[in-house]
Amino acid sequence: MNDFLQDNFSLQGKTALVTGGAKGIGAMITQAFLQAGARVIISSRSSEDCEAAASEFSALGECIALPQDLSTVANISALADDIAGLGHGLNILVNNSGRTWGAPLDDFPESGWDSVMDLNVKSPFFLVQKCLPLLEKSASPEDRGRIINIGSIAGLSNETLMAYSYGPSKAAILHMTGALARDLAARNINVNAIAPGLFDTRMVSHIKRDEALQKEVLKTIPMGRAGQAEDIGGLAVFLCSRASAFMTGTIVPVDGGQLVAR
């Protein structure tokens, strides 16, 4: 790696937490961070998935599994304590864990609303709160801490696809990104958001299984394809590197042009 890339895009010596880092977009970001030189802590609800992913990722660098169900503040506090106990500090937090729920408007259940809002909005807020002492301790004006919130283009449009709580939850975390960016700037922490479009993850596996539906969805994307690991992994590395030091409160869609085509 030449000096320019090393100075501006390396994550060497950084410690990152990626929630939901065992699968989907979280795994894509975890892989990119490891390749950029970071130590990565992954956390997900399934101990089996978390441990298996960390073992596989360890071929790329130091990957630590700290399984935790992040749907409660008590568990979020426990995760922050576990991270502190490792003794590596924390430079980067990626709020990626999330869920969706689909049902017709007339039948949409309260449980489907609450579970999505809790994990997609409340949990990221309290994870920032509980990890803030670690992030602030590791940060300085010359080497700022980073928080990335994973939103969705669903938070920037009005299409529901019968997932009535998902879009509002992602709109909320995008709004929260700006509020946190403003409040944490003086504490040497940058807060940005990524709003993905279609990526090949379990959340949209129903599209992949239906060839006709897949063709219809791809027609709405000017680039004519789903996102790939490098598309979001590279962006996440950029947002956590020296190259983005003057960026905070930014929402970056990565959707192949889907938003602008609507």
Side-chain angles (χ1 to χ4, degrees):
M1 183 180 290
N2 64 39
D3 289 345
F4 176 81
L5 294 178
Q6 182 67 40
D7 292 345
N8 290 284
F9 292 94
S10 173
L11 299 184
Q12 196 71 40
K14 304 296 184 186
T15 298
L17 167 63
V18 181
T19 66
K23 292 184 177 180
I25 283 174
M28 297 174 191
I29 293 173
T30 295
Q31 179 176 326
F33 281 179
L34 289 166
Q35 290 171 324
R39 172 191 297 110
V40 183
I41 301 162
I42 60 174
S43 187
S44 59
R45 183 173 54 182
S46 168
S47 297
E48 184 178 349
D49 288 348
C50 203
E51 297 286 354
S55 177
E56 182 178 345
F57 282 133
S58 290
L60 300 174
E62 186 177 357
C63 188
I64 301 165
L66 290 179
Q68 194 60 264
D69 180 353
L70 298 178
S71 62
T72 71
V73 176
N75 289 350
I76 290 168
S77 294
L79 176 59
D81 289 343
D82 288 344
I83 294 169
L86 293 174
H88 300 306
L90 189 66
N91 307 99
I92 298 164
L93 165 61
V94 179
N95 279 311
N96 168 71
S97 286
R99 64 166 52 109
T100 189
W101 191 295
L105 176 60
D106 292 344
D107 301 317
F108 201 90
E110 182 180 7
S111 59
W113 184 272
D114 290 346
S115 67
V116 170
M117 285 294 181
D118 282 353
L119 188 61
N120 293 9
V121 185
K122 185 176 82 172
S123 292
F125 174 81
F126 283 102
L127 193 56
V128 169
Q129 183 191 75
K130 302 306 179 185
C131 289
L132 190 54
L134 286 168
L135 289 164
E136 194 168 12
K137 186 176 181 180
S138 299
S140 70
E142 297 76 26
D143 191 10
R144 300 175 66 84
R146 299 295 204 278
I147 296 170
I148 298 178
N149 293 322
I150 303 300
S152 168
I153 61 170
L156 297 167
S157 72
N158 293 319
E159 283 191 61
T160 66
L161 301 178
M162 293 195 300
Y164 290 100
S165 53
Y166 183 74
S169 76
K170 291 303 184 179
I173 198 167
L174 295 179
H175 179 89
M176 187 168 69
T177 296
L180 290 172
R182 180 169 180 165
D183 290 347
L184 295 180
R187 297 166 78 169
N188 300 317
I189 297 171
N190 293 8
V191 188
N192 293 291
I194 298 175
L198 179 67
F199 279 76
D200 186 8
T201 66
R202 184 172 58 181
M203 193 175 287
V204 295
S205 59
H206 63 289
I207 295 175
K208 192 173 182 179
R209 290 194 302 266
D210 187 329
E211 187 174 345
L213 177 59
Q214 186 176 31
K215 286 181 179 179
E216 286 303 309
V217 172
L218 291 178
K219 285 179 183 177
T220 69
I221 303 173
M223 291 181 68
R225 66 171 177 86
Q228 299 171 355
E230 295 82 1
D231 298 321
I232 200 159
L235 176 58
V237 169
F238 166 71
L239 289 175
C240 294
S241 69
R242 174 65 187 81
S244 67
F246 200 50
M247 290 177 63
T248 195
T250 301
I251 299 168
V252 186
V254 54
D255 65 350
Q258 193 172 9
L259 269 179
V260 296
R262 287 178 173 172

